[in-house]
Amino acid sequence: MISASGIELRAGARVLIESATFRVAKGDRIGLVGRNGAGKTTLTKVLAGEGQPAGGTVTRSGEVGYLPQDPRTGDLDVLASDRILSRAAWTP
């Protein structure tokens, strides 16, 4: 489970997300939709523990997988599908 309480995300001086509070339970499936630069990737990194919010707290119980959107990162000899499945801890 991931719990976010009063989180704030910034890009420089620009506020991307302000005072957001929510919970994602095991088995939940969520989608992030927004224009370019809205903070979707920043939020995902913070929720996965790859970054810190400018304010508020994020707590995680259990493992959270994060697959970066930049395909040039990680082992370039591994297929994208194998990278995704190696991080998946879900059952269809």
Side-chain angles (χ1 to χ4, degrees):
M1 178 172 60
I2 302 170
S3 293
S5 179
I7 63 169
E8 179 180 302
L9 301 179
R10 294 179 168 266
R14 195 175 107 205
V15 176
L16 301 173
I17 296 174
E18 185 175 32
S19 300
T21 299
F22 57 89
R23 185 176 82 182
V24 181
K26 183 177 180 175
D28 285 354
R29 295 176 186 226
I30 62 169
L32 297 175
V33 180
R35 62 178 171 67
N36 289 345
K40 300 178 299 291
T41 300
T42 303
L43 176 60
T44 303
K45 286 180 179 180
V46 167
L47 295 179
E50 299 284 326
Q52 294 295 319
T57 59
V58 176
T59 56
R60 295 164 216 75
S61 61
E63 185 177 333
V64 176
Y66 171 69
L67 182 64
Q69 68 181 0
D70 186 350
R72 296 170 294 178
T73 61
D75 186 350
L76 298 179
D77 293 327
V78 177
L79 295 175
S81 59
D82 292 338
R83 288 180 69 190
I84 293 167
L85 293 174
S86 73
R87 299 279 184 127
W90 56 277
T91 55

